Amino acid sequence: MMTTPQMQTEARPTQDGDEPQDWGSIAVSFARQMTLPNFSRGDLAGLRRMDPDEPGTTAAYWRLMAEKNLLRGSDVELKWALILHGIALMTPRAGEEGENRTAHEGFMPVGKALFLGGDANRRERGYYSESRLNRLLTARGPMLRTLLARMFRMVAASDQPFNWREMARFILNEDYDEDRFEMARRRIASEYYQAERRSAQPESE
């Protein structure tokens, strides 16, 4: 992705090393907003149905992006479209079990969530298979977007929230800040295989 002078300014880290505007916090705020009583169920449905590669006809997308001042006329907008789509998919609808739960769970790393898939007692093999994980973590560009969209649907079906700060940074730093992207990628892999190791231990331990 070409980096414009404007994006260079946006990308400059703050003193604590975090992203400008704190991307993770923005993603978490979107997750909370989608569970509020005044958030339109029609808007949630629209974000679920939205094609994150063609979000232009989804009014809720434009409203949320404008609220957070994220409309910058760049590829970053499409990355946020993918994030909003994923959060909406993972947000329980009215009438579903846990309907007031957000898609974000700060204490649930993405990799661990992919292994558990909503079952804290999972044994032997992960809900999201090792082969799927390997494809996800080695993909880039359009293929990565496609695999992420599929993964969000799969995780949503398991009713498993995860840390959207972590996922937002993984998505937004791809082809933008390679060091941060690699850190996010390695964390997902690390947490997945740590969960696998724990699942193989005898329950008495």
Side-chain angles (χ1 to χ4, degrees):
M1 180 179 71
M2 182 176 295
T3 304
T4 66
Q6 179 184 2
M7 289 176 65
Q8 288 177 345
T9 300
E10 293 166 11
R12 186 179 302 124
T14 56
Q15 289 184 347
D16 64 2
D18 206 351
E19 298 89 357
Q21 299 186 355
D22 192 351
W23 290 339
S25 292
I26 292 173
V28 171
S29 72
F30 282 144
R32 291 177 181 144
Q33 189 171 354
M34 289 185 200
T35 64
L36 295 177
N38 63 352
F39 190 81
S40 165
R41 297 298 92 184
D43 282 350
L44 182 62
L47 292 168
R48 285 168 170 258
R49 291 191 303 266
M50 177 178 72
D51 178 352
D53 291 326
E54 297 287 344
T57 60
T58 306
Y61 162 77
W62 292 109
R63 279 195 292 270
L64 291 172
M65 292 287 284
E67 285 175 13
K68 302 297 185 184
N69 193 29
L70 295 171
L71 294 171
R72 304 298 176 90
S74 71
D75 290 346
V76 174
E77 290 181 12
L78 290 181
K79 292 186 175 185
W80 278 109
L82 181 61
I83 290 168
L84 286 168
H85 179 59
I87 292 173
L89 287 171
M90 291 173 57
T91 300
R93 288 172 287 199
E96 292 181 341
E97 184 177 353
E99 63 180 274
N100 295 319
R101 173 187 62 72
T102 76
H104 171 71
E105 172 50 71
F107 295 104
M108 177 56 68
V110 173
K112 183 178 179 180
L114 293 179
F115 184 86
L116 295 178
D119 181 1
N121 297 313
R122 186 171 298 279
R123 297 292 179 206
E124 296 182 2
R125 64 181 61 183
Y127 173 77
Y128 192 77
S129 71
E130 183 178 16
S131 61
R132 284 194 178 100
L133 180 73
N134 288 338
R135 286 196 298 272
L136 181 75
L137 296 182
T138 56
R140 303 296 291 262
M143 180 54 68
L144 177 59
R145 292 176 60 83
T146 297
L147 293 177
L148 282 168
R150 291 175 185 170
M151 182 267 280
F152 295 147
R153 288 188 178 278
M154 188 173 177
V155 173
S158 74
D159 195 32
Q160 174 68 71
F162 58 52
N163 189 328
W164 266 97
R165 292 180 188 274
E166 184 183 339
M167 178 52 65
R169 290 167 178 168
F170 177 68
I171 292 172
L172 290 161
N173 280 309
E174 190 233 349
D175 286 341
Y176 190 52
D177 186 321
E178 288 301 307
D179 288 341
R180 289 178 185 272
F181 177 73
E182 177 63 12
M183 287 174 61
R185 189 184 71 84
R186 290 175 63 87
R187 176 171 169 77
I188 293 172
S190 172
E191 292 293 344
Y192 182 94
Y193 286 106
Q194 285 189 60
E196 180 185 65
R197 177 183 58 81
R198 287 191 292 267
S199 76
Q201 294 175 346
E203 294 188 27
S204 61
E205 295 184 11

